[in-house]
Amino acid sequence: LKCARKTLRALKLRPDNVPVEGYYHETSQLTEYFLSIRTLQNLNQDRLPTVADLPEFQRLTQVLASPLFGILVPSERLLPLIKDPLTIALEKTFPDWTVPNLTASAHAIAREGQDISLVGLGAWMKNEVILAALRESIVLYAGFFLGAAKHPPKPRYIWHVDKELVERANLFIITFNRLMKEKIPRADPQNAQAYWEAGDQNFIIGRCVRLGGDDSVSPTRYYHWAIRRSHGNALMVHDFWHHEVWTTERYQSALMSGRGIQ
């Protein structure tokens, strides 16, 4: 956030007022960071001379160009532009956007390429719920296009994961730890319990992400994925078009109120 603030000050700009997507509505600092980065993402490279030597801008560039978020592609924007398998799938399949089509296409792209991003790992698993949750979590960086016994038995954690997926996941973890100075454990059988418990605490119902848009109509309509429960109470991905941007906050509010998409 400090890096984004200083870069904006150097450019004599204030954050734009745009819909706050993903989980960035949860705190005021996250919201400010989201709005600041969105503002910088809309600038072209003609503003680069003003901030090129700024350490804070260099740090932003380092983070946003990281393979944690996808593959770096050429761009005339001020900040780096990356694409993950789902972004590429959106481009390849437009306008035939459906959950099955995009999930299958993203999966094929992930297996063919060298992407180690979060979305790439989710695409590899060919699970639309996981894919939607991971894409929502990196929405700021992604290309737009009952009773128990007194002594319950100790759970046994079974590790059954594709070998190459594990290798790519560990490359992601190593890159993330080095970049963010964190200590996320390796993806291996010894850490199965830690990852199970972390995943069990992650609330993903209502996460909503705008994947792309269609400006061949007026007003422009936007294509979204959101996670909800089916009539059978299983997790599912709800895809829909709307002429307004639907954020996670808005979708979760609609779910809680029972209003649905208006």
Side-chain angles (χ1 to χ4, degrees):
L1 178 56
K2 291 180 180 179
C3 293
R5 284 172 175 169
K6 194 153 187 178
T7 302
L8 281 176
R9 283 200 296 268
L11 293 167
K12 298 180 180 179
L13 295 173
R14 292 183 178 181
D16 294 334
N17 184 19
V18 297
V20 179
E21 302 177 69
Y23 62 88
Y24 290 92
H25 70 279
E26 293 179 357
T27 70
S28 59
Q29 288 188 323
L30 281 173
T31 297
E32 182 185 353
Y33 177 70
F34 180 94
L35 296 176
S36 299
I37 295 298
R38 273 287 186 256
T39 302
L40 294 170
Q41 286 172 332
N42 288 328
L43 300 177
N44 293 324
Q45 283 194 349
D46 57 1
R47 310 297 291 270
L48 182 59
T50 305
V51 294
D53 296 328
L54 194 67
E56 290 80 2
F57 172 74
Q58 294 170 1
R59 174 59 173 167
L60 282 181
T61 301
Q62 178 192 25
V63 172
L64 270 68
S66 167
L68 298 175
F69 307 116
I71 303 297
L72 187 65
V73 295
S75 169
E76 296 182 356
R77 295 291 186 177
L78 177 65
L79 293 180
L81 177 66
I82 59 97
K83 290 185 179 181
D84 54 54
L86 184 52
T87 301
I88 299 171
L90 285 161
E91 294 175 352
K92 285 190 171 184
T93 61
F94 181 81
D96 298 321
W97 287 351
T98 65
V99 174
N101 280 355
L102 288 169
T103 301
S105 179
H107 173 70
I109 292 166
R111 292 190 69 94
E112 293 167 2
Q114 299 301 315
D115 186 289
I116 65 163
S117 68
L118 269 182
V119 173
L121 298 177
W124 186 285
M125 299 172 70
K126 207 174 182 179
N127 183 305
E128 65 269 22
V129 173
I130 292 174
L131 186 56
L134 293 177
R135 180 56 185 271
E136 190 266 1
S137 70
I138 60 118
V139 65
L140 185 54
Y141 308 105
F144 171 66
F145 215 102
L146 228 146
K150 286 186 177 181
H151 303 287
K154 186 176 181 179
R156 184 166 61 98
Y157 299 92
I158 300 174
W159 185 266
H160 184 67
V161 189
D162 182 280
K163 181 180 178 181
E164 190 170 348
L165 177 59
V166 169
E167 292 175 355
R168 294 196 185 198
N170 279 319
L171 282 175
F172 173 89
I173 292 168
I174 291 169
T175 305
F176 181 90
N177 286 342
R178 184 184 301 122
L179 183 67
M180 301 300 182
K181 296 181 173 56
E182 294 288 346
K183 295 182 179 180
I184 296 177
R186 286 180 57 82
D188 58 33
Q190 288 71 34
N191 294 316
Q193 180 178 351
Y195 278 104
W196 173 269
E197 292 176 349
D200 199 40
Q201 296 170 6
N202 194 11
F203 184 76
I204 62 174
I205 295 176
R207 289 195 179 192
C208 181
V209 58
R210 173 182 56 160
L211 297 180
D214 178 7
D215 62 0
S216 65
V217 297
S218 182
T220 298
R221 60 181 190 151
Y222 301 107
Y223 182 69
H224 302 73
W225 275 14
I227 299 172
R228 64 185 305 167
R229 291 198 180 277
S230 66
H231 294 301
N233 210 35
L235 289 178
M236 62 168 285
V237 171
H238 170 212
D239 67 324
F240 64 96
W241 293 86
H242 202 279
H243 68 277
E244 296 178 356
V245 176
W246 274 69
T247 64
T248 292
E249 181 181 22
R250 183 177 181 182
Y251 195 88
Q252 287 179 340
S253 177
L255 281 182
M256 292 178 64
S257 67
R259 294 194 308 270
I261 306 300
Q262 301 295 324

